[in-house]
Amino acid sequence: MKQKGISNFSGQRIWIIGASSGIGEACAKALFQAGAKVALSSRRAERLTALADKQDALVLPLDVTHQEQLASAYQTLLQNWGGLDLMLFVSGVYTPLRADNFDFEVAQKTIDANLLGPMRAVATVLPEMLKQHTGHIAIVGSVAGYSGLPKALAYGPSKAGIINFCETLYYDLLPQGVSVHMISPGFVATEATAQNDFEMPALITAEEAASEILKGIQAGEFDIHFPKRFSGFLKFLRILPYPLYFWIVRRFVKI
Ligand SMILES: NC(=O)c1ccc[n+]([C@@H]2O[C@H](COP(=O)([O-])OP(=O)(O)OC[C@H]3O[C@@H](n4cnc5c(N)ncnc54)[C@H](OP(=O)(O)O)[C@@H]3O)[C@@H](O)[C@H]2O)c1
């Protein structure tokens, strides 16, 4: 049994959470081009309004750490559209964190936004999708969730949680006709990575990332990862025995 894709985005009702910059903004632009109806969410309302200019779009500002804001935005969306075809959760935060500056408050905020945020969004849209036996849930995780990497003491666990969450959702939703798309990007040039003080291997643009994501959803893929030359290498690393894994990461990453 294979899950469904979205062969044509034209007229599809799509909610992008985390649309104000980077990968989410690039997905919104590509979906406008493809003729989709798009709802744009994130905290910076002015950015969303500028992005929505002259498009068939709803602007629904919200903070993913507040369940009631997600619920109210979803109600507005349903009142306007009567349903939702794809919830694309892109929102995420990254603060480099190592053992010598480990800050519990940063860790808590990261998990709240990156792991509990998508869980809140899924809890919001899932009952209706289950009732209709249709719909798509796509969540952006990261290759940083595959296995432990330096400087990611909070980000890494938040993204590892996304992988497990998507895998576990897939079992339940496949027989219900609801598709799950787990998205694991490598390095993408955005505001989030502009702070990195190291050379990022296989860096791609936000537009390239958006194109990979939309292609994967069209094809009905569960595991959407890119660029393959980097994500494939990291997938290979995680099957190695730990001594070899740690040795290779130490060799390639400036620690
Ligand atoms: N760039 C990369 O190399 C890379 C690699 C792997 C995975 N990712 C993942 O890709 C996703 C997008 O990242 P990006 O690189 O495009 O970063 P970005 O440009 O910083 O975009 C992050 C988006 O998340 C939104 N956001 C953050 N906290 C939020 C909150 N509490 N409530 C609502 N929206 C919130 C931001 O909007 P507001 O500030 O307006 O709220 C913004 O739209 C993230 O999940 C990130 O972890 C990125």
Side-chain angles (χ1 to χ4, degrees), residues 98 122 203:
R98 306 189 55 148
V122 168
L203 183 70

Side-chain angles (χ1 to χ4, degrees), residues 17-25 41-48 62-66 89-94 113-114 140-144 155 159 183-193 196 200 203 206:
I17 302 176
S20 61
S21 61
I23 300 171
E25 181 183 10
S41 289
S42 81
R43 293 163 302 180
R44 289 171 292 177
E46 63 297 343
R47 287 233 195 177
L48 302 177
L62 58 83
D63 185 324
V64 300
T65 63
H66 291 82
F89 193 102
V90 191
S91 163
V93 292
Y94 169 62
N114 292 6
V140 175
S142 169
V143 295
Y155 185 75
K159 296 299 187 177
I183 300 159
S184 308
F187 288 112
V188 183
T190 65
E191 288 171 24
T193 47
N196 287 347
M200 292 176 272
L203 183 70

Side-chain angles (χ1 to χ4, degrees), residues 201-245:
L203 183 70
I204 60 169
T205 64
E207 290 68 32
E208 287 170 317
S211 156
E212 293 283 353
I213 290 170
L214 300 188
K215 240 180 8 199
I217 293 172
Q218 278 187 307
E221 285 171 13
F222 167 74
D223 184 15
I224 302 173
H225 62 98
F226 54 84
K228 296 278 189 295
R229 61 190 185 281
F230 187 59
S231 53
F233 178 60
L234 289 176
K235 271 177 182 281
F236 163 70
L237 286 190
R238 76 180 167 169
I239 62 168
L240 297 176
Y242 276 128
L244 196 52
Y245 172 75

